[in-house]
Amino acid sequence: MSRCMLSPLRLYRTSSGLQHYLPNLARACLFSSDSSSSSSSGGGSNGNGNNNKSFVRNTTILVQQGCDIQELPVVVRKVAEDEFVALISNKIIDCQPAAAQKDTELDEMVKTLEACHTVQGVCLVTDGIGEESFSPDVAVRALEKILKLESLLELKNWEDKPSFEKIINCIVYRGRNETVLDVMDGLRNYLELAKTIDMLGNELVYRCSENKLSVEQCCEAIESLTQCRRFEMVEKFWSGIADQEKQITDKNIHLVFSILPYLKISRRAVLNILERRIPSVWWQMSTGCTIDVLQSLETCKMSPFRITQTLARWLNTNIHAVSEDQLEAVLESFTNLGFSDNQIERSIERYVKAKGIKVVSQSLIVSILKHCQTFRLRNSHILNGCSEFFIANHQNLDPGYLKAFLCPYGYLDFHPLNSNKFFETLDMYLDLNFTKIHPNDIIHIMFCYVCLERYPLPFVNRIFNPYFLDVLHARTRPERLDRVRSLLKVFDTSLTLECPDYDGPLLPRDHSAKAVFHDGRIKRIVNYIIPELEELAGGPNNMTKFAILQHLPVNELYLVDVIFHPPGMGSIFSLNTAKERNINVAVLIHLPEYYNASGEHLIGPQAMRIRHLRRLGLKVVTLKFDVLYKLKVHPAELRKYLVERLKQALEALPVAKGTAAAAAAASTKEDGPQTEQ
């Protein structure tokens, strides 16, 4: 694309919308595009002062806001020799308003048009009407009649005829904004009329550049043009929205957000406008408006912090006034946007405290628990309130929601205050509805049981049943089968290690070599602090990286980051779980997401991981990844931290008497850890 500098250039402003951008520009630079003139802009005069439209060109402008510079499309007009006007100017000659037409005269013309049975008849009627009497309202009725009478194929042939052009020119050059927008909206199903759509679209762009379209009309024009596949035109409306920034209110801000999915090049510019505007109007926004804003951001997969934080403040302020369905919609959007903060947590807490078991919607409680699990909100008031709801309303609970009710408690390692009553109710409900719940959900529920140190022995025979396992494999997607099998093995291992009444293990030990996922951050930090670890272990022969004990299934959960062991054993050493206790040390590095949002409690799977390693006789040392990362450039402080953590190592737990693990440990020696493949 060839570009040339337009000079000299003059900018005339009639509104202050772009003043947020332009003061930082030492010089406004415009670049001319080859595809500059649109078909309708140079479509000739209609006798109404529109000759100046032949000078309209498409250009791009460099817009700077702080350190952010964007190249955005705008409209530039030539108003004199070597003089150009960008965006808005008081030199542009305004269109003459259409003369008022008597209702009786309009009704007679409409009746005449309705009596026509062919397109040719409609054209004869319009040709017989004088220029002064041929109003946009009559032209719209004539166009509607033509679209009703003719097929798409024939309409294409009529588009270039003078009679049809007269109708379109009347609408384009003399019609009100509402008229042009309504006609454009009506042509969504007539994309074959490309010339007509281009004329209407370019007229809307022209009027937007003259600041004649309201904020609502700009949004409507963007939506209609997108439906008509005029994507380049859509990008030019950002300037009209910027010019009318102060006209964006609580009544129409959701409309501006709704057009963000239609924009690409200018989306960031419009979003910047909304980020500046929303702090001034959020307190007046209705609930429906807030939901629309969140859903628009969700569609764009954007979560701008300033906007989401403001909407979180709105929720905390208006939590008393939202209905259950509205709160559910707001929370789902926040969850999908990946945003949560203290204001959202406080608002949910207040709502649960106020309503509690009086909540009617099961899906609302599910949305609350899902939000807590996603953002690791281990809030006792919220979780205890949801457990009370489950106990009070379990008889009416949809079986498909059971996984969503239990998994947050297992994931967050949270035991409700009414823990016994909660699990009694859960056992009873699961027993009655076992066959109604998806087998995949059953496995996740069992995993949550063992995370919370609950051992559902009554359901073991139902799970390790050939019929159930066949149904599980048949109804699980192939890409999820490995995950489900892995959870099933962890369930079997957990009962074997911790439950004296369990006659397991019931699953065969997995000896097949397989790759185990290990977070790259942990790998890198371990390799970085190897010298310090080898020094504390007593030498490189006293340490093994990334190992899985043979007593445990090959699962990423049981991957031990570093093991300190007696010298001379190499990567394979004997581990007698009955006799060799508190001799070997497992060093685990915990990422920030292994903790709840406050960083105080480990999540359920990680707490269970530590518990199982201690059951096997290992001492466990836990290290925080973020602390190691900060100290890696300070060797002395790093060594001090490692020594302190080693002194605070968790001692091995006693083998649960009567378990299969205790019997196996006392009878034979095992081979040792399997290194990661």
Side-chain angles (χ1 to χ4, degrees), residues 26 52 86 93 155 163 180 191 203 211 216 226 282 375 419 434 480 634 643 655 660-661 667:
N52 59 311
I93 301 173
L155 281 174
S163 299
V180 178
L191 299 182
E203 178 64 19
N211 206 18
E216 294 85 350
T226 301
W282 69 268
F375 299 101
S419 184
F434 191 89
R480 295 183 180 178
H634 304 286
V643 170
V655 178
S667 61

Side-chain angles (χ1 to χ4, degrees), residues 93-224:
I93 301 173
D94 197 1
C95 299
Q96 297 295 328
Q101 191 172 28
K102 296 181 179 180
D103 292 339
T104 55
E105 184 180 357
L106 176 62
D107 292 341
E108 291 178 1
M109 293 181 183
V110 170
K111 288 180 180 179
T112 304
L113 290 172
E114 290 297 330
C116 298
H117 298 289
T118 62
V119 176
Q120 187 174 5
V122 174
C123 292
L124 289 174
V125 172
T126 56
D127 288 342
I129 302 175
E131 286 289 338
E132 295 182 357
S133 300
F134 191 57
S135 67
D137 292 334
V138 176
V140 169
R141 296 300 181 91
L143 179 61
E144 290 176 349
K145 188 66 176 180
I146 291 174
L147 296 177
K148 183 178 179 181
L149 291 174
E150 200 60 273
S151 64
L152 287 175
L153 183 61
E154 294 298 327
L155 281 174
K156 182 66 177 175
N157 297 330
W158 278 98
E159 193 176 22
D160 293 326
K161 295 185 178 180
S163 299
F164 192 86
E165 288 183 350
K166 177 183 178 181
I167 295 173
I168 300 303
N169 286 340
C170 180
I171 296 172
V172 168
Y173 297 122
R174 299 174 59 196
R176 299 185 302 275
N177 294 337
E178 296 81 1
T179 302
V180 178
L181 287 169
D182 289 342
V183 173
M184 173 64 73
D185 187 66
L187 292 177
R188 293 183 181 188
N189 298 323
Y190 299 91
L191 299 182
E192 290 79 3
L193 301 177
K195 180 180 177 181
T196 302
I197 293 174
D198 286 340
M199 290 181 66
L200 291 166
N202 282 307
E203 178 64 19
L204 290 173
V205 172
Y206 181 86
R207 295 187 185 189
C208 176
S209 68
E210 288 190 326
N211 206 18
K212 292 181 179 178
L213 297 182
S214 66
V215 172
E216 294 85 350
Q217 289 171 341
C218 286
C219 296
E220 186 179 349
I222 289 173
E223 182 180 1
S224 296

Side-chain angles (χ1 to χ4, degrees), residues 660-677:
S667 61
T668 60
K669 291 185 177 181
E670 303 293 348
D671 292 334
Q674 300 170 345
T675 56
E676 181 189 12
Q677 301 297 318

Side-chain angles (χ1 to χ4, degrees), residues 179-304:
T179 302
V180 178
L181 287 169
D182 289 342
V183 173
M184 173 64 73
D185 187 66
L187 292 177
R188 293 183 181 188
N189 298 323
Y190 299 91
L191 299 182
E192 290 79 3
L193 301 177
K195 180 180 177 181
T196 302
I197 293 174
D198 286 340
M199 290 181 66
L200 291 166
N202 282 307
E203 178 64 19
L204 290 173
V205 172
Y206 181 86
R207 295 187 185 189
C208 176
S209 68
E210 288 190 326
N211 206 18
K212 292 181 179 178
L213 297 182
S214 66
V215 172
E216 294 85 350
Q217 289 171 341
C218 286
C219 296
E220 186 179 349
I222 289 173
E223 182 180 1
S224 296
L225 286 168
T226 301
Q227 297 297 329
C228 292
R229 301 178 185 176
R230 297 305 187 270
F231 305 112
E232 292 184 0
M233 293 182 185
V234 165
E235 303 294 346
K236 299 169 188 173
F237 283 86
W238 70 272
S239 60
I241 296 174
D243 292 328
Q244 303 183 77
E245 180 177 330
K246 295 297 178 62
Q247 278 67 52
I248 299 177
T249 67
D250 60 293
K251 305 298 182 184
N252 60 22
I253 192 169
H254 65 287
L255 297 176
V256 184
F257 272 98
S258 69
I259 56 98
L260 289 177
Y262 304 137
L263 304 176
K264 291 185 179 180
I265 299 173
S266 57
R267 178 186 293 176
R268 190 173 63 183
V270 175
L271 190 63
N272 289 339
I273 296 168
L274 293 170
E275 283 185 326
R276 292 195 303 271
R277 190 61 185 154
I278 197 169
S280 303
V281 303
W282 69 268
W283 55 278
Q284 295 176 305
M285 289 169 56
S286 65
T287 305
C289 177
T290 302
I291 293 173
D292 291 341
V293 169
L294 285 168
Q295 291 177 346
S296 297
L297 292 176
E298 192 178 344
T299 302
C300 296
K301 298 181 180 179
M302 301 173 64
S303 183

